[in-house]
Amino acid sequence: MMQSKRWLLPEGVTETVPPESWRLEAARRALLDLYWRWGFDLIRPPLIEYLDSLLTGAGHELDLQTFKLTDQLNGRMMGVRSDMTTQATRIDAHRLAATGTARYCYIGSVLRTRPEEPGGSRSPLQVGVEKFGDGHLASDLEIVSLMLETLSVMGITRSYLDLGHVAIYRRLVAACGVDADLEPTVFDIVQRKSRPDLDRLAVDERIDTQTHIRFSALIDLNGPSEVLEQARVALGDIDPAIDAALVELGDMVALIREHYPDMPLFLDLAELRGYRYKTGLLFAAFAPGLGRELARGGRYDNVGRAFGRPRPATGFSADLNLLAALGEFADSRTSRGIAAPQDNSDGALLAEIRALRASGERVITGASDDEAAASGCDRRLTLIDGTWRVSAIPTKSDDSHG
């Protein structure tokens, strides 16, 4: 009988080992320090919650992505979190019951039933920030800025920013009188930017000529920020909310150009990720040649209504594993390690080891030469003239020249 491969992990589930796990932990700490400096407070939502909470509001989008299980204590259905946005909303609404502006950050593992893209992860290490209680454009700019600063900390030097606004599609559907049964089909066509499928709806007389013209224009409205002027010509004066969304996009473009003048900027008015609960600006960061976002976010006002506290909200999230894999973040710790003898009877040796560790050094005791080398030790603690001293371990090249 063939022995089962017990060491294999489920598809889309990953693990990290040294030294990458240490690099990832250093990145986590660096990002939390960044968010603290910006005034965001750390929250740590639970890994599992009851479904009626976990899938409330924004969580409805996550139903198919959520692993479900039964609580053996009371028989209620629970879910393993696949995203932390809803959890942050619940914490803001009930656990903290914050008044005024509140800022939160989080980093933790999430689990999804399927990857968001072929070959992607089902166990991202989600990092993100959420800001509640302020509906002004300045808050959207703050979140976009922090998203770009996150990429900078992770050593991602080549990226571009993509902007959209869900109100344009939402109000266009209303203005054109798209039937509720047909809307999911139109939504899918717009997301795929499939002109042939949209043309087929017109040929089959499922949409009228004006609706066909407007949604054809929407599909084509993507590219450099100059697209905004084209959007004003194609979609202006259809609905006041569309006009307001275009103004808001123009204002955000101007702010980003002022704060990040070297950041390539694009508009995609047909990008609607998170459409069912997002209410305003959408933004995402991409890397050239990578067919998925580095990070994404947007405004989702009133998402807390299901928890009894409708509040303005905006935020972003990313997969720290992906950012670490693509970026050039380097662990700032330069010390590799010190190999020391194992002798519990030598008080001077023990005192020196304690002092070195207290100063931030990594000291490995009782390791053989091979084990010390495998652990990355570049120095050793040796007894010289009755005193324990740290000295460099000669490299093979040093030995060859000796």
Side-chain angles (χ1 to χ4, degrees), residues 331-375:
D331 191 342
S332 61
R333 293 172 299 186
T334 57
S335 173
R336 297 179 61 191
I338 301 170
Q342 180 77 59
D343 186 350
N344 294 324
S345 64
D346 190 328
L349 171 62
L350 296 177
E352 184 63 23
I353 291 173
R354 283 194 295 269
L356 288 169
R357 286 172 172 164
S359 70
E361 294 283 3
R362 186 183 196 215
V363 182
I364 301 174
T365 60
S368 67
D369 289 345
D370 289 342
E371 290 170 341
S375 297

Side-chain angles (χ1 to χ4, degrees), residues 121-319:
S121 173
R122 293 196 296 165
S123 57
L125 183 57
Q126 189 177 37
V127 53
V129 302
E130 313 289 342
K131 184 177 180 180
F132 292 88
D134 189 341
H136 296 97
L137 191 64
S139 286
D140 295 294
L141 176 64
E142 181 178 5
I143 297 298
V144 171
S145 298
L146 197 47
M147 181 175 74
L148 297 179
E149 295 296 332
T150 295
L151 300 185
S152 178
V153 167
M154 293 305 300
I156 297 175
T157 58
R158 296 181 66 234
S159 62
Y160 64 90
L161 186 63
D162 194 89
L163 294 177
H165 201 300
V166 297
I168 297 173
Y169 170 82
R170 183 172 285 129
R171 296 310 303 166
L172 200 57
V173 167
C176 293
V178 176
D179 186 86
D181 292 335
L182 182 61
E183 190 274 332
T185 300
V186 174
F187 177 84
D188 177 64
I189 290 172
V190 171
Q191 281 291 270
R192 293 185 290 109
K193 296 180 172 61
S194 176
R195 288 290 297 274
D197 287 337
L198 186 66
D199 295 343
R200 193 169 298 111
L201 289 183
V203 170
D204 295 341
E205 298 184 347
R206 301 182 68 187
I207 58 174
D208 58 32
T209 300
Q210 186 180 61
T211 299
H212 179 239
I213 292 172
R214 289 174 173 176
F215 280 100
S216 294
L218 181 64
I219 287 174
D220 291 337
L221 288 172
N222 57 86
S225 55
E226 288 73 20
V227 161
L228 195 57
E229 186 56 39
Q230 301 173 27
R232 293 190 181 103
V233 173
L235 303 178
D237 299 326
I238 294 175
D239 184 286
I242 295 177
D243 296 336
L246 294 175
V247 170
E248 193 169 45
L249 277 171
D251 291 342
M252 178 57 82
V253 167
L255 286 169
I256 292 171
R257 282 177 171 166
E258 178 181 352
H259 288 263
Y260 297 92
D262 296 327
M263 173 59 60
L265 185 61
F266 296 88
L267 295 177
D268 187 349
L269 304 193
E271 172 52 53
L272 299 170
R273 188 182 291 272
Y275 158 74
R276 302 300 175 187
Y277 69 93
K278 295 286 177 63
T279 60
L281 282 169
L282 298 174
F283 37 85
F286 291 84
L290 183 68
R292 57 170 294 189
E293 305 109 328
L294 297 171
R296 67 170 180 258
R299 178 158 289 279
Y300 55 105
D301 290 346
N302 299 321
V303 71
R305 186 185 304 278
F307 293 107
R309 294 194 71 215
R311 302 233 293 159
T314 180
F316 87 88
S317 65
D319 179 4

